[in-house]
Amino acid sequence: MVETPEISLVAILPELALTVGAVVVLMVAVSSRRAATYLPWIAGLTVAATGAGLIAQYNDVAANGFSVSYAGMIVLDNQGIVIRTVMLAAIAVALLVGWRYVTGLGTRGGEALSLVFLSAVGFMLMASSIHFMLLFLGLEVGSISLYVLAALGQRAKRADEAAMKYFLLGSVASAIFLYGVALLYAGTGSLTYLGVFEFFSGDTLVFSDGLLSAGVALLFVGLLFKIAAAPFHSWAPDVYQGAPAGIVGYMGAAAKIGAIAALLRFVQVPFQSVIESIQVPLAAVAAFSVVLGTLYAIVQQDLRRVLAYSGVSHAGFLLMGIATGGVAEVQVLFYLATYVLVLVGAFGIVSLLEGSGSAGSPIENWKGLGRRSPFLAWSLTVFMLGMAGMPATAGFIGKFGIFTRAWSGDLEWLVIVGLLASVAAFFFYLRVVVAMFFEDGDGKTPKLGWPAGIGIGLTLVITVGLGLYPTPLLDVLTAALG
Amino acid sequence: MLSIILLHGLLALGILSARRFIGRYAFPVAVIGPLATIGWAIWRAPGIVDGTPRVERLEWVPGLDLSVELLVDGYALLFVALVGVVGAAIFFYSAAYFRPGPRVPLFAASMVAFAGAMLGIVTSDHLLSVFIFWELTTITSYLLVGYDDRSAKARSAALHAAMVTGAGGLAMLGGFVLLADAGNSWLISDLVANPPGGAGLAWLLVLIGAASKSAQAPLHGWLPGAMAAPTPASAFLHSATMVKAGVFLVGRLSPAATAETDWWWPVVLTIGVATMLVGGWQALRQTDLKLLLAYGTVSQLGFLFLLAGSGIPALAYGAVALVLAHGLFKSALFLAVGAIDSATGTRDIRRLEGVGRSLPWVFATTVTAAASMAAVPATFGFVAKEAAFDGLVGEGTGLVAIVALASVLTVAYTGRFLLGAFGPATDEPTGVDQIGGWKVWVPFGLAGAGLVLGLVPGLVKPLVESAAVAISGDAAGKLVVWPGLVPALGWSLGSLAVGLSLVAVPRAVDAVTAAVATVTDRGPSTEGAFRAGLTGLLGGADRLTATFQSGSLPTYLATIALAVVAAGSIPLLGELGGVELPSLGPAIEIPLALVVSISAIGLLLTRRRFAAVILLGGVGYGIAGIYAANGGPDLSLTQILVETLAIALFALVLRNLPADFDRARASIGRILTSVAVAGFVFVAGLVAVDSRTAPSVAEYYVEESLPSAAGKNVVNVILVDFRAMDTLGEITVLAVATLGVAALVLPLLRRKQS
């Protein structure tokens, strides 16, 4: 008989909660005329239930240590819990700042909500997967939901084009990834992280096997595409510019969380013993992303494209931490957590100014916002400074942590490249700030509802709070991952 | 000190936040910052001057070894005092200078933020925080120069200044990182105490950063441009404080740098001398009072850079004295020019006339400060310059002679300045309005301070001495009203006399400068080089964007495909050598392969959609045939089924599409990309076929299907039993995809129906 694999409910509790939430949202949306009044409650309950699931997981790990279930496919450990918590925080903030978008979709608001939950399920599974097949499934569940979310807005040519590009290029990337998995399996005979790890640690010079090396390369390419690392970033600016403003911040955040979670585990387990062979290409992609993202961002005239290219360079900074191997895991997670929240918050402000279904946001529109809406202008200033890595924001701590780790990890040249790029980046981050406070314009005056206000305020507090006093979070992360 | 710096930040934020209500109280609020600085300096001065630096240390993030380290020794205290005193004076002046307007609070906030950043530079002991504050001054300077946002010239000048000093800052950051790595410490005090060896590049990068900030030739072009800033900003940033940051830094580091490198002092000397001469020469050609002062500042900065960067105690002593003197007289002169400008509406020396008669106090101020600039005895400028000359005499006659030549130029342009401001007009003269209040008394006070210190230099002697000791370990100089008959006095009085004789023949000087200018202006200018560089950079970025980020899906796909080919083919090509070509299967494969190939090529060439669908089917059916020929009838059947279904679906879609494709452009790039991708897939296939080392898992499934899972259809068993988890996952993906398709398509159908 084939053995029944161990089924552990607690290992997938957050994903279960989100799936149930997604299904309930759909049911209510089709069955009730007053669905719109129930949606906030269901969304809130789902987020709360997911949080409760995470707490249960944390207690379980605290009591029993990490555990593997589902025939070696899923691991329940603190690192996964941290990443899922980041994901949940991103959902919460995204729904708060983007709630107007969800309600603005009318009857399709429920669909958008359930797709947000389902995409989170996919990316959360990527964080707990220790099996390449499950990783691919998570990637697909997450990505497909995002493709649809990109297309769900009001019918606008640019939005359609963005969604179509995202779908086609994303599918190609998924195919590349899958081919990489196939070649990896052909080379190692295993689909589990542990199996691949054992294969590699038996013979550290396996990279002489060309097919296997090609497989590993394709595997990474697939994920690098998802985090928009150069040169696999070309979709990002068009999608960030064209997709509905209310949701695009979440889209960028979710894909980065899932793929970074997977890449982090890659260097920790399956490819740990061959880290020297993959370090140079990863560092090269990191450097390329940081430099290219910064250079491109400098010439942009549209805030959404600026944010897209800055996302490319942030992918580079995250990769810098990953290229050091497992030693920078705390720093990578800190960076990831603070970056995605700021990204969601910044796009929330974009959607408040431009309308949640809008495409594009020329710098021109931001002129004089400091006078029209001081709260939003100040918030965006803090978010921009946070992304730039200004001291007293969480972004500085994140960058500093990754730089110091990379420096001690013998990637000095990469740190210098990163440092120079991050200083040059101030140029474009500050451009919108200068436009808001120092240039006059009479664009729209955004209306700030209380959900968006809470979401933005929360992000603000986290960005500045962790910038001034990051020690508690760093301690928690160090203890959890240590 | 940390609290004072934070106070500046809070004041800036407060003024910005309250910009709508604060109105004319912006400067009275802002001045709290400099006043607090002065208070702090007076409170702490006795201890620091006695030789115990004030150290403030704040553990910030212990996990990352991040801490805030401030160290205020005599040298830092001198700059702190300068920032506080000049800052307070200028804020009072600004309150009178600006007419209330919506942008005035922005100016006040930027100025107070700048003052805080400047304090940060001079008091930080940690290289990283020096850098952060350094760039903060660049940013605030950008905002202040570009304050007049409707003037394209101001915006462009602001950008020029920010780019040059920003890029210099980047170089400096690189230097700092290398320095910290070589010396194994981020603290300046550690690095100066134990200079790291073998860090030549680091020192060079730091020097470049310092030179860019202090407007040293050939990077000095941004400073005259920065005169587009309102006059109070020019007086504060571009003469008294910010441009001294580079001087400050080389003063701090030069003892260590000269100890570890043998090129530092010659290079600094060359830069300083070139800057002195270029600045002085250019000042002689200006007709705008403010620009004249700006080039004068360039010249003085060259002198200061040379003195401070020498690492020689006697010269360092002169440097700190001159920093103080220059800060006082140059800010007084700038503010006086601002007063003249607002009284007459011009700064053009050809049109100014009768200012002295109408504004006697401004006249007195200007003459006093200018005398200090020209180092006339009984001014603090003279006292400080004597100290400098005294040190230089010990370093050889050649050096003194060059500095004396620069001093001649200084005297000459000072004369030109005074004659221009108060002498007769050569062009249509302007009227002079009466002005008073802070606008007159603030520069008067600053100039008067220079006079008082010139007569009683003992007032600042402890400060200057402790500053010199802090950087060079020795107070190797003296501040005296009259030095007695020493060689230094000869040099300074001599250059004064020669300079004055030049002033007496202004027409001759004009003729000479004009004649030389016809030659020198033809050469490359720094401004031109900057413009060309900027245009090139932006143009390059634009072209890059247009090529790779055109929005064209094929381009994106090609980029990704080529990157994949590059990443994947490097390891694959190495394998190609040992590959054994697979043996040919049954003979029927040959015609089938031909069908597949011909269909595929035809697919690329056809312009009719319908033909394309049929040819696509040809490819699929051909492959199904190859499966069948190799003993896989079930696989073959599945393939045929899928192909048929696909063709049927295509046929349905085709009804809504035009019959022909758009004319496809077959560019070389596209063909090469296609060939590369096809080649990659071909090689991958070839290598893959040849590389099986383990037995196929299929054998296990076939063997175990019946005994383990009690199923005769192996494919079914694999799907629902051996790999049931994967199947579950795939179903989930399908479900999500279905949901998505429904979400997108159903609303369209509904709209069609209604």
Side-chain angles (χ1 to χ4, degrees):
Chain A
M1 283 300 288
V2 175
E3 286 167 49
T4 314
E6 189 194 338
I7 305 284
S8 157
L9 273 186
V10 72
I12 55 166
L13 261 185
E15 288 90 340
L16 271 184
L18 284 170
T19 313
V20 171
V23 172
V24 172
V25 166
L26 278 183
M27 299 288 205
V28 172
V30 293
S31 61
S32 166
R33 283 177 179 283
R34 294 174 50 229
T37 52
Y38 300 130
L39 283 189
W41 297 104
I42 304 173
L45 273 176
T46 308
V47 170
T50 312
L54 284 167
I55 293 171
Q57 290 191 328
Y58 180 76
N59 290 333
D60 188 75
V61 174
N64 309 321
F66 79 98
S67 58
V68 174
S69 50
Y70 299 94
M73 285 178 135
I74 287 185
V75 67
L76 173 60
D77 64 353
N78 277 327
Q79 182 172 319
I81 295 174
V82 167
I83 291 170
R84 283 191 290 271
T85 311
V86 173
M87 190 77 211
L88 184 66
I91 297 179
V93 174
L95 287 181
L96 282 170
V97 297
W99 192 253
R100 199 174 296 167
Y101 167 71
V102 174
T103 52
L105 284 172
T107 51
R108 295 161 74 203
E111 283 152 21
L113 197 56
S114 68
L115 283 166
V116 167
F117 289 155
L118 286 176
S119 65
V121 170
F123 293 124
M124 281 185 176
L125 278 177
M126 287 178 80
S128 47
S129 162
I130 46 170
H131 189 281
F132 288 100
M133 252 4 264
L134 182 66
L135 185 66
F136 175 70
L137 293 174
L139 185 69
E140 280 302 273
V141 171
S143 302
I144 291 177
S145 311
L146 291 191
Y147 303 148
V148 181
L149 275 175
L152 210 59
Q154 281 89 354
R155 298 259 66 95
K157 243 187 189 156
R158 192 182 250 167
D160 285 351
E161 189 187 320
M164 199 66 194
K165 271 181 194 157
Y166 191 30
F167 171 60
L168 287 176
L169 294 172
S171 308
V172 170
S174 297
I176 291 171
F177 177 85
L178 197 57
Y179 194 46
V181 173
L183 291 182
L184 184 75
Y185 180 64
T188 65
S190 177
L191 278 174
T192 63
Y193 290 10
L194 215 58
V196 173
F197 168 75
E198 278 163 7
F199 178 86
F200 278 134
S201 37
D203 173 11
T204 42
L205 291 173
V206 268
F207 270 169
S208 57
D209 185 349
L211 205 61
L212 182 54
S213 309
V216 174
L218 296 187
L219 200 64
F220 275 93
V221 165
L223 291 179
L224 293 177
F225 175 91
K226 297 291 173 191
I227 61 168
F232 314 104
H233 67 282
S234 43
W235 57 275
D238 293 5
V239 172
Y240 276 45
Q241 188 182 20
I247 206 67
V248 67
Y250 169 75
M251 290 169 52
K256 271 214 173 63
I257 295 172
I260 287 292
L263 285 169
L264 194 55
R265 279 212 200 278
F266 276 10
V267 296
Q268 285 168 331
V269 188
F271 306 113
Q272 189 215 52
S273 49
V274 288
I275 183 74
E276 267 131 42
S277 311
I278 54 175
Q279 187 173 51
V280 173
L282 270 186
V285 172
F288 199 47
S289 306
V290 166
V291 171
L292 206 69
T294 307
L295 280 184
Y296 272 143
I298 286 175
V299 285
Q300 299 309 317
Q301 304 296 329
D302 186 303
L303 182 61
R304 295 177 65 161
R305 287 186 89 84
V306 169
L307 287 173
Y309 285 115
S310 98
V312 175
S313 68
H314 284 290
F317 288 120
L318 285 162
L319 279 179
M320 194 184 285
I322 285 175
T324 60
V327 293
E329 52 202 14
V330 171
Q331 285 72 24
V332 168
L333 291 180
F334 185 92
Y335 194 109
L336 181 70
T338 50
Y339 167 65
V340 295
L341 286 185
V342 168
L343 178 69
V344 172
F347 265 112
I349 296 177
V350 171
S351 76
L352 288 175
L353 179 78
E354 305 283 357
S356 49
S358 69
S361 182
I363 297 286
E364 192 67 32
N365 293 0
W366 294 90
K367 288 186 177 169
L369 189 72
R371 200 166 313 163
R372 300 198 300 276
S373 179
F375 173 70
L376 288 182
W378 276 109
S379 305
L380 189 64
T381 303
V382 172
F383 295 165
M384 287 288 148
L385 292 175
M387 287 199 199
M390 178 82 181
T393 66
F396 173 76
I397 306 289
K399 279 210 174 74
F400 187 82
I402 286 193
F403 285 166
T404 47
R405 285 300 158 129
W407 187 272
S408 51
D410 286 334
L411 288 171
E412 288 96 341
W413 65 273
L414 189 56
V415 174
I416 292 194
V417 170
L419 266 178
L420 299 185
S422 53
V423 176
F426 268 90
F427 184 76
F428 62 79
Y429 286 120
L430 285 179
R431 244 208 19 216
V432 66
V433 177
V434 170
M436 287 190 301
F437 288 102
F438 289 86
E439 289 171 32
D440 288 324
D442 32 45
K444 285 172 269 184
T445 303
K447 264 198 216 101
L448 179 74
W450 65 264
I454 292 177
I456 291 168
L458 216 60
T459 315
L460 211 57
V461 170
I462 291 175
T463 306
V464 177
L466 287 181
L468 292 176
Y469 194 50
T471 308
L473 180 64
L474 285 171
D475 285 351
V476 167
L477 286 178
T478 313
L481 272 56
Chain B
M1 194 69 231
L2 186 60
S3 50
I4 303 282
I5 295 174
L6 289 178
L7 172 71
H8 281 78
L10 290 179
L11 286 172
L13 287 179
I15 293 171
L16 262 193
S17 310
R19 53 185 284 192
R20 257 185 291 188
F21 329 105
I22 200 160
R24 57 204 200 80
Y25 296 106
F27 287 106
V29 171
V31 85
I32 296 172
L35 289 181
T37 309
I38 296 173
W40 188 92
I42 292 172
W43 176 38
R44 291 287 177 190
I48 295 171
V49 167
D50 280 349
T52 20
R54 161 101 183 140
V55 179
E56 292 180 25
R57 190 186 152 86
L58 181 75
E59 289 283 344
W60 183 15
V61 190
L64 292 172
D65 268 340
L66 260 184
S67 55
V68 179
E69 312 263 355
L70 299 185
L71 188 149
V72 191
D73 55 9
Y75 187 55
L77 183 67
L78 179 93
F79 283 86
V80 168
L82 193 66
V83 173
V85 171
V86 177
I90 282 173
F91 284 2
F92 281 120
Y93 179 90
S94 301
Y97 182 82
F98 287 99
R99 279 190 207 95
R103 298 177 60 77
V104 171
L106 297 179
F107 183 86
S110 307
M111 287 281 271
V112 77
F114 163 78
M118 194 64 212
L119 289 176
I121 293 182
V122 298
T123 59
S124 293
D125 197 27
H126 197 291
L127 285 175
L128 270 186
S129 50
V130 170
F131 169 75
I132 289 163
F133 286 121
W134 186 279
E135 291 296 1
L136 271 179
T137 63
T138 301
I139 292 168
T140 42
S141 162
Y142 171 79
L143 296 175
L144 289 168
V145 176
Y147 174 73
D148 183 4
D149 66 338
R150 269 169 281 262
S151 152
K153 203 173 144 226
R155 284 202 308 265
S156 144
L159 189 64
H160 185 180
M163 299 279 276
V164 172
T165 54
L170 277 187
M172 191 183 79
L173 175 62
F176 280 175
V177 172
L178 295 176
L179 212 53
D181 191 47
N184 217 1
S185 168
W186 282 105
L187 298 189
I188 297 176
S189 47
D190 286 355
L191 292 168
V192 171
N194 303 303
L201 178 64
W203 293 115
L204 180 66
L205 290 172
V206 171
L207 185 62
I208 291 173
S212 74
K213 195 81 166 181
S214 281
Q216 299 296 302
L219 302 172
H220 63 281
W222 66 268
L223 184 55
M227 293 302 121
T231 296
S234 304
F236 195 27
L237 276 71
H238 305 123
S239 76
T241 55
M242 184 180 84
V243 289
K244 301 238 173 74
V247 173
F248 170 83
L249 195 67
V250 293
R252 190 59 109 190
L253 295 177
S254 59
T258 45
E260 288 303 323
T261 64
D262 41 14
W263 51 262
W264 173 276
W265 169 226
V267 170
V268 167
L269 181 66
T270 314
I271 295 176
V273 165
T275 310
M276 280 167 80
L277 297 179
V278 167
W281 180 259
Q282 289 287 344
L284 277 179
R285 295 181 53 202
Q286 303 307 317
T287 52
D288 180 330
L289 285 180
K290 209 172 156 188
L291 275 181
L292 199 161
L293 286 183
Y295 279 108
T297 306
V298 170
S299 169
Q300 301 271 354
L301 285 172
F303 191 25
L304 287 171
F305 204 73
L306 180 165
L307 294 173
S310 65
I312 299 166
L315 300 193
Y317 189 90
V320 288
L322 261 180
V323 162
L324 197 57
H326 182 255
L328 290 176
F329 70 69
K330 197 48 80 62
S331 55
L333 286 174
F334 265 109
L335 296 183
V337 167
I340 294 173
D341 190 7
S342 65
T344 63
T346 184
R347 302 189 303 248
D348 191 329
I349 62 175
R350 289 164 300 195
R351 297 183 58 206
L352 286 168
E353 193 173 83
V355 178
R357 246 171 298 137
S358 312
L359 303 171
W361 289 109
V362 173
F363 177 71
T365 302
T366 313
V367 170
T368 314
S372 196
M373 178 154 82
V376 174
T379 62
F380 191 57
F382 172 78
V383 174
K385 206 158 197 174
E386 269 306 302
F389 265 121
D390 198 39
L392 284 167
V393 167
E395 297 299 319
T397 315
L399 183 56
V400 198
I402 294 175
V403 174
L405 175 62
S407 296
V408 169
L409 292 176
T410 305
V411 177
Y413 70 69
T414 306
R416 181 180 173 84
F417 178 83
L418 287 176
L419 285 179
F422 304 110
T426 52
D427 210 338
E428 179 196 356
T430 56
V432 184
D433 295 336
Q434 270 308 323
I435 52 167
W438 292 113
K439 253 196 274 192
V440 172
W441 299 118
V442 167
F444 180 79
L446 288 169
L451 193 61
V452 170
L453 291 182
L455 297 171
V456 200
L459 288 177
V460 287
K461 200 173 168 195
L463 183 62
V464 170
E465 279 183 355
S466 76
V469 170
I471 50 170
S472 64
D474 190 11
K478 50 189 187 302
L479 293 182
V480 286
V481 183
W482 184 252
L485 294 175
V486 292
L489 182 70
W491 283 107
S492 68
L493 289 186
S495 45
L496 189 62
V498 178
L500 285 176
S501 64
L502 283 181
V503 176
V505 286
R507 272 169 215 282
V509 172
D510 278 354
V512 172
T513 54
V516 175
T518 53
V519 181
T520 53
D521 283 359
R522 253 182 253 151
S525 71
T526 56
E527 174 76 15
F530 167 75
R531 293 267 152 255
L534 187 64
T535 318
L537 181 72
L538 291 182
D542 269 345
R543 264 195 298 286
L544 210 64
T545 317
T547 312
F548 292 104
Q549 209 66 58
S550 56
S552 145
L553 194 57
T555 311
Y556 293 178
L557 260 181
T559 319
I560 293 174
L562 287 176
V564 168
V565 169
S569 58
I570 296 168
L572 276 184
L573 286 177
E575 294 288 303
L576 206 52
V579 164
E580 256 179 64
L581 286 179
S583 56
L584 216 55
I588 186 80
E589 272 191 358
I590 296 173
L592 285 173
L594 277 178
V595 170
V596 172
S597 313
I598 292 172
S599 305
I601 292 170
L603 187 57
L604 290 176
L605 297 178
T606 183
R607 304 250 319 265
R608 314 276 299 174
R609 281 181 207 271
F610 191 69
V613 171
I614 300 289
L615 287 167
L616 194 61
V619 175
Y621 288 126
I623 289 173
I626 294 178
Y627 288 155
N630 281 286
D634 49 347
L635 202 54
S636 176
L637 271 177
T638 316
Q639 174 80 13
I640 289 176
L641 215 63
V642 171
E643 281 304 324
T644 313
L645 200 63
I647 292 181
L649 283 176
F650 267 125
L652 286 175
V653 175
L654 277 188
R655 290 193 311 168
N656 296 322
L657 289 175
D660 290 343
F661 290 115
D662 290 342
R663 199 180 178 78
R665 284 166 298 132
S667 66
I668 298 287
R670 286 189 183 196
I671 292 171
L672 285 181
T673 310
S674 311
V675 170
V677 173
F680 171 69
V681 173
F682 181 73
V683 171
L686 212 57
V687 176
V689 169
D690 191 46
S691 63
R692 177 180 292 286
T693 50
S696 164
V697 70
E699 286 161 29
Y700 168 82
Y701 286 147
V702 172
E703 257 171 44
E704 291 290 316
S705 176
L706 196 57
S708 291
K712 288 181 183 165
N713 185 331
V714 182
V715 176
N716 267 357
V717 171
I718 291 175
L719 283 180
V720 302
D721 213 318
F722 291 122
R723 309 296 321 167
M725 284 288 187
D726 299 348
T727 309
L728 180 68
E730 265 315 317
I731 293 174
T732 317
V733 174
L734 276 182
V736 172
T738 316
L739 191 67
V741 172
L744 291 180
V745 174
L746 288 181
L748 289 183
L749 289 181
R750 249 177 257 144
R751 203 179 308 163
K752 226 175 200 174
Q753 280 165 4
S754 59

